[in-house]
Amino acid sequence: MARQQAAVESAVSKEAQERIWDAFRRWGFLQANLDPLGDLERVAIPELDVTGPEAEAARRFYCGSIGAEFMHIPDRARREWIQQRMESEAPKLDQAKILERLVRAEIFEQVLQTRYLGTKRYSLEGEAALIPLLDSILNAASEQGAEQAVLAMSHRGRLNVMTHIVGRPAAEIFARFEDVDPRSVLGGGDVKYHMGATGDFPAADGRKVKIHLVSNPSHLEAVDPVAVGRARAKQTRYGKHGRRQVVPVVMHGDAAFAGQGVWAETLNMSGVEGFTVGGSVHIIVNNLIGFTTVPREAHSSRFASDLAKRLPIPIFHVNAEDPDAVVRVGRIALEYRHAFGSPVVVDLIGYRRHGHSEVDDPTITQPRRYKKIEAHQPLWKIYASEIGANAEPIVERVREELDAAQKEALELEKSPPMRELPAYWNAYRGGRYNASFEVDTAVAQQDLTAIGEKIASYPDGFHIHPKVKKLLEQRSEMARGKRALDFGMAEALAFGSLLKQGTPVRLSGQDSVRGTFNQRHAALIDVENETQFMPLQHLAPDQSWFEAYNSTLSEASVLGFEYGFSRDFPEALVLWEAQFGDFANGAQIIIDQFVAAGEDKWNLLSGVVLLLPHGYEGQGPEHSSARIERFLQLVARDNIQICQPSTAAQYFHLLRRQALRAWRKPLVVFTPKSMLRNPAASSSLAELAAGRFQTVIPDRGDGTAERVLLCTGKIGHELVAERKRRKDDSTAIVFLEQLYPFPEAELAAEMDRHASAREFVWVQEEPANMGALAFLLPRLERLARGRAVLSVKRSASASPATGSHKAHEMEQHTLLALAFGGAVKK
Ligand SMILES: Cc1ncc(C[n+]2csc(CCOP(=O)(O)OP(=O)(O)O)c2C)c(N)n1
């Protein structure tokens, strides 16, 4: 009886013990000691109001300098992994090395402060533990076989990271402050705390980890998907073990992490096959302030990181003033990433010693906090006294080194590049367009037939959907020259021929595998078991790789990712497709900051292709335009290419040109919707087997036209049909297939050829304040040599298109009527 009683009691107490541990594992982070200045108050949790040895042990593990959030992870093995790490004694660390790191980080900032008073550097002081944290992550990564790390970060502490983690000599950073070579960047370039850098990190195990710090615009968080896309490309290069060999580490500010959405979009891709990188490591360099904004104004949650909890990934908060804990967390984070291929978040909570930049006075908005900060010792001093070390000799030595580096910088004549481009960029060129870049894009007809037949076939026993079967039969006819080619087939043949020539192809976008307009069918789906078969992956044993992915419903992160991928795979044709061109403005930051300006700011090239379905077809304000005007406003110095191919053959040659030329420039293509299957836009096999992309498609060779209509894309086909209907034989219709780089010579030749024309009329579907009108008018006037230049367009409008199909048709009818009769001046 007594024994039975004891057994019950011990069972109860075991249960009670479990409850205690569970409570601390679940809620302990809310009472952890995370904020060096104590402003982040601990949260009262009744479940943690317990005493006794069990409670004390659990409190020690879960309410110290590390607060782990992991109980939202459904996978028990992952929770247990973290539990086991959290509930073991802290490892012995090389504290002397940590101290040295801290001294270097802080003295570097102080030297910059005294030498370059009044210049912005976005000091890391208050978060100096970032350097030992990165050190710890990279050392752990090296042990796991990492050969490269892709780092992304914004302004805060960037110069410090460049020197102490990327390994750029301090003299190079000083040279940027000295601005030794301003002429090299007149009108271009970027500020020093945005520049990319490459280097080698010497890991403790004797190996070197190649570091690539990604160039970054001011737009906070915009770099996140770019960095992850770059990591994916590098991993693809490594092959099978790529995910282990390349580790992405992305750093964030707390206000930016809480406020911006693109990191969340990027992390949402982390488990999606086409976009995974085997886990990215995220560090919030959390100084509990954003410029002048305090956390209660910056987010509605306790932690800036809270939104990350929507994913089953761990978040480790750590007090930035406990360097040992920080170093420990770095290792745990990296090893977790490695063990489970999962992203992980480290929230490094410290403070910001100065104003937002060093020229900003923070005492105006946070007088009390800054009084506290002023009285607060730098971390290296606190740490040195904690571990009983004398840091003064290190300080002395570091100062001397930095003095020497500054002298060295003054002797430099040119601004150091701070990076080395990988060899795979050797074969490619940027800069201004040169006709010598042109290549042959035609493919012999028998080769097209062979590729086309493969594209139209699938394995025996594959249960094909009847509609797809019909489409493939049509494709087979197209391949044999028995039927005109549509855009879908032209694209497949462009991809297929490139793959056979050794160019890999990667395409992503919303519903892009099938194609929003049912036009692509890159994957065939077995109707019985939903297995996929991608004919373009089965062309020949020695072909290059082909990938097509449906993306998450995001523009910014997916385009950012593909831009990033293109940065590390110049030899591949990398395409991002918007569902409709109108949605591309969801990625406007990526377009403005990376696609259009990347070469100007950072001298970095990309051949990424944007496919933007465009055309006024009565589908409403958000399914018509792709904002041609916006892209045209971004152009200068041949930075991007803007094209609208009006036939299947033109599309074929354009895609091949993009891949085969050595000129690497982003390509924006306005692609068709209804025109995808319009017989007027289809082409013969012979047109793919000869010729090349025409920037201008001329009309009527006899030069007798009285009027010349100039247009681009779908409206041109409508104009041709209208001309036929009217039996008009005095009008020429010229298609402008490339808007930028503006094909001046080709267009001038065509306009001159129409010697009898009295007037040239630009016809566009867009309202007067949109489309290519404003861009083209001055150029056309120059080329018209005194002859009239008129235009036909919809009335200026705040919104791109009407929502009424009938109104659309009336408008379209009027456009055509005006084009053939009543065009008005400007
Ligand atoms: C998208 C965007 N909006 C606004 C800014 C202007 N801005 C630059 S830094 C900053 C505060 C950033 O705070 P936080 O993310 O906490 O980083 P910290 O500077 O504190 O390290 C702001 C608002 C910006 N760079 N990007």
Side-chain angles (χ1 to χ4, degrees):
M1 191 65 188
R3 268 172 61 184
Q4 243 178 9
Q5 185 69 33
V8 170
E9 264 171 22
S10 95
V12 168
S13 64
K14 197 152 195 311
E15 221 173 76
Q17 281 171 16
E18 259 321 300
R19 254 204 315 277
I20 289 172
W21 279 100
D22 186 78
F24 277 93
R25 286 168 192 149
R26 218 170 273 283
W27 308 113
F29 70 96
L30 293 169
Q31 292 195 351
N33 169 30
L34 299 175
D35 175 9
L37 299 184
D39 286 347
L40 187 69
E41 282 170 14
R42 298 180 190 201
V43 181
I45 303 285
E47 287 88 334
L48 302 188
D49 247 345
V50 282
T51 49
E54 213 66 41
E56 288 327 306
R59 188 168 285 121
R60 194 162 64 81
F61 289 131
Y62 286 104
C63 302
S65 299
I66 301 173
E69 287 191 75
F70 64 103
M71 294 296 278
H72 59 286
I73 301 175
D75 180 356
R76 188 170 164 170
R78 297 183 186 208
R79 288 199 312 274
E80 283 179 354
W81 190 98
I82 294 172
Q83 239 166 264
Q84 190 269 325
R85 288 304 190 89
M86 289 295 293
E87 293 167 24
S88 47
E89 289 308 321
K92 279 246 163 303
L93 300 170
D94 183 348
Q95 293 181 315
K97 189 178 156 205
I98 295 174
L99 177 62
E100 159 126 15
R101 288 281 195 196
L102 294 174
V103 171
R104 283 189 177 278
E106 298 227 17
I107 300 303
F108 174 76
E109 297 289 357
Q110 284 176 17
V111 168
L112 286 180
Q113 174 74 0
T114 40
R115 295 285 152 75
Y116 305 104
L117 199 66
T119 6
K120 297 178 186 177
R121 66 194 153 89
Y122 299 104
S123 156
L124 191 60
E125 289 154 280
E127 287 279 357
L130 176 66
I131 301 298
L133 174 62
L134 286 170
D135 191 77
S136 166
I137 289 171
L138 293 170
N139 277 323
S142 177
E143 285 167 31
Q144 302 295 346
E147 296 189 10
Q148 292 197 38
V150 177
L151 263 56
M153 70 188 301
S154 60
H155 51 285
R156 178 84 43 217
R158 189 175 175 106
L159 302 174
N160 214 312
V161 169
M162 278 181 172
T163 321
H164 296 122
I165 297 295
V166 186
R168 297 317 309 180
E172 294 186 351
I173 312 275
F174 289 127
R176 297 270 173 181
F177 276 89
E178 301 289 348
D179 219 350
V180 289
D181 189 20
R183 283 190 179 279
S184 67
V185 287
L186 282 174
D190 202 348
V191 291
K192 47 192 161 294
Y193 38 84
H194 288 171
M195 302 306 277
T198 56
D200 287 321
F201 174 84
D205 60 9
R207 299 171 59 223
K208 278 193 175 142
V209 181
K210 223 175 169 22
I211 307 287
H212 198 126
L213 176 64
V214 180
S215 298
N216 173 74
S218 284
H219 289 62
L220 295 167
E221 303 299 329
V223 75
D224 303 355
V226 176
V228 177
R230 297 195 66 161
R232 168 84 178 210
K234 286 172 183 286
Q235 292 177 346
T236 305
R237 289 190 170 283
Y238 276 106
K240 207 162 137 218
H241 301 296
R243 305 223 169 121
R244 175 187 303 187
Q245 283 156 307
V246 182
V247 180
V249 180
V250 186
M251 286 159 267
H252 316 261
D254 52 310
F257 198 79
Q260 297 288 307
V262 67
W263 69 263
E265 292 184 17
T266 306
L267 267 178
N268 183 42
M269 301 194 289
S270 60
V272 177
E273 186 203 336
F275 305 86
T276 184
V277 288
S280 40
V281 179
H282 296 264
I283 302 172
I284 304 175
V285 184
N286 187 348
N287 48 24
L288 296 174
I289 196 161
F291 209 148
T292 65
T293 300
V294 292
R296 69 168 186 282
E297 299 165 317
H299 44 93
S300 303
S301 47
R302 175 174 168 79
F303 293 105
S305 59
D306 277 3
L307 273 179
K309 263 195 293 190
R310 82 161 171 167
L311 293 170
I313 62 174
I315 298 161
F316 297 99
H317 308 280
V318 59
N319 188 324
E321 215 151 78
D322 184 344
D324 291 359
V326 171
V327 167
R328 180 174 171 208
V329 159
R331 176 165 287 275
I332 296 177
L334 192 285
E335 289 179 356
Y336 183 87
R337 180 250 179 207
H338 180 73
F340 301 106
S342 156
V344 46
V345 178
V346 176
D347 181 21
L348 180 70
I349 303 180
Y351 61 94
R352 187 187 71 196
R353 180 159 290 282
H354 306 282
H356 172 56
S357 76
E358 292 61 37
V359 291
D360 198 75
D361 180 358
T363 63
I364 296 170
T365 45
Q366 280 81 32
R368 289 199 315 163
R369 185 164 167 91
Y370 274 84
K371 203 172 257 174
K372 241 195 244 180
I373 291 173
E374 217 190 327
H376 202 77
Q377 295 263 342
L379 179 54
W380 63 267
K381 281 197 180 158
I382 299 174
Y383 190 62
S385 81
E386 256 172 37
I387 64 171
N390 175 14
E392 289 307 330
I394 315 175
V395 173
E396 199 70 8
R397 180 158 44 85
V398 172
R399 276 191 197 284
E400 276 165 22
E401 279 175 30
L402 293 175
D403 278 348
Q406 203 209 4
K407 289 201 187 86
E408 206 182 306
L410 284 169
E411 274 151 33
L412 292 175
E413 276 169 20
K414 276 203 178 319
S415 218
M418 294 199 173
R419 59 154 201 246
E420 251 174 67
L421 278 184
Y424 44 78
W425 273 101
N426 289 351
Y428 301 99
R429 305 273 301 278
R432 302 305 293 253
Y433 172 73
N434 185 321
S436 69
F437 293 136
E438 292 306 336
V439 290
D440 201 2
T441 53
V443 175
Q445 204 153 323
Q446 69 271 24
D447 292 345
L448 290 170
T449 303
I451 297 166
E453 289 285 28
K454 287 268 187 191
I455 288 167
S457 52
Y458 44 89
D460 288 342
F462 192 87
H463 306 97
I464 195 86
H465 191 286
K467 286 185 183 161
V468 179
K469 184 163 189 265
K470 187 155 169 256
L471 176 111
L472 295 182
E473 282 162 8
Q474 289 174 355
R475 286 192 169 172
S476 168
E477 289 172 25
M478 291 177 196
R480 286 176 282 124
K482 303 256 186 261
R483 174 188 273 270
L485 282 100
D486 60 13
F487 268 80
M489 183 61 168
E491 181 187 86
L493 286 172
F495 291 169
S497 56
L498 287 169
L499 292 167
K500 283 190 80 173
Q501 271 173 278
T503 301
V505 177
R506 175 184 163 94
L507 164 80
S508 85
Q510 290 150 29
D511 309 291
S512 286
V513 175
R514 189 204 70 177
T516 297
F517 311 100
N518 219 353
Q519 81 282 17
R520 183 167 291 123
H521 299 275
L524 310 177
I525 315 291
D526 187 305
V527 292
E528 305 253 306
N529 52 29
E530 290 193 5
T531 53
Q532 287 198 5
F533 177 76
M534 287 200 177
L536 283 167
Q537 291 177 342
H538 300 275
L539 299 176
D542 58 347
Q543 71 167 94
S544 279
W545 53 263
F546 172 75
E547 294 180 347
Y549 296 110
N550 286 339
S551 76
T552 57
L553 208 168
S554 148
E555 284 74 30
S557 66
V558 183
L559 176 57
F561 186 100
E562 299 305 346
Y563 169 83
F565 195 98
S566 76
R567 286 276 316 110
D568 279 285
F569 233 116
E571 62 274 48
L573 181 66
V574 181
L575 310 101
W576 171 72
E577 183 174 62
Q579 186 121 57
F580 283 79
D582 312 63
F583 300 112
N585 59 5
Q588 200 65 49
I589 298 176
I590 303 294
I591 293 167
D592 292 344
Q593 268 56 51
F594 291 93
V595 175
E599 183 178 355
D600 184 271
K601 291 190 293 187
W602 310 310
N603 206 10
L604 295 176
L605 309 178
S606 158
V608 72
V609 180
L610 279 63
L611 302 178
L612 309 180
H614 166 268
Y616 279 58
E617 297 172 358
Q619 294 191 65
E622 284 84 38
H623 292 77
S624 301
S625 166
R627 301 283 191 181
I628 289 180
E629 64 281 1
R630 295 241 173 100
F631 288 95
L632 288 171
Q633 203 214 4
L634 292 173
V635 303
R637 303 171 69 85
D638 299 346
N639 60 336
I640 53 176
Q641 311 163 81
I642 302 182
C643 296
Q644 179 152 227
S646 61
T647 68
Q650 280 282 86
Y651 186 42
F652 171 87
H653 289 296
L654 177 62
L655 291 175
R656 286 181 48 79
R657 181 183 88 165
Q658 178 69 357
L660 297 176
R661 280 195 311 209
W663 202 46
R664 278 293 170 269
K665 290 280 164 170
L667 167 65
V668 180
V669 190
F670 298 106
T671 55
K673 299 180 301 188
S674 69
M675 222 175 44
L676 283 165
R677 297 178 190 83
N678 184 340
S682 60
S683 303
S684 68
L685 209 51
E687 288 172 278
L688 276 56
R692 54 173 62 168
F693 179 73
Q694 292 173 277
T695 54
V696 175
I697 300 186
D699 192 26
R700 294 173 58 115
D702 56 10
T704 59
E706 290 163 22
R707 310 173 71 238
V708 178
L709 303 183
L710 300 158
C711 58
T712 182
K714 164 185 152 275
I715 187 75
H717 293 296
E718 290 175 26
L719 290 170
V720 170
E722 180 69 12
R723 178 173 67 181
K724 192 165 172 208
R725 203 183 61 77
R726 288 174 179 247
K727 301 195 174 58
D728 177 322
D729 60 2
S730 61
T731 305
I733 298 169
V734 174
F735 285 73
L736 189 56
E737 304 277 297
Q738 176 168 303
L739 294 160
Y740 195 80
F742 183 58
E744 179 144 345
E746 291 84 348
L747 191 57
E750 176 63 6
M751 287 167 76
D752 286 349
R753 221 168 48 77
H754 293 287
S756 339
R758 295 182 321 277
E759 59 190 31
F760 296 96
V761 186
W762 173 254
V763 186
Q764 69 174 31
E765 297 186 288
E766 289 89 345
N769 53 329
M770 299 176 193
L773 181 64
F775 173 81
L776 285 175
L777 221 47
R779 289 170 171 81
L780 295 180
E781 274 170 354
R782 198 169 66 234
L783 301 188
R785 301 189 199 282
R787 291 180 282 175
V789 176
L790 312 176
S791 62
V792 171
K793 65 272 171 184
R794 284 179 163 79
S795 304
S797 168
S799 157
T802 172
S804 150
H805 195 81
K806 283 192 179 152
H808 160 78
E809 284 187 342
M810 286 161 69
E811 289 172 7
Q812 204 75 358
H813 185 76
T814 310
L815 275 188
L816 296 180
L818 286 171
F820 282 93
V824 290
K825 183 95 177 123
K826 288 184 190 163

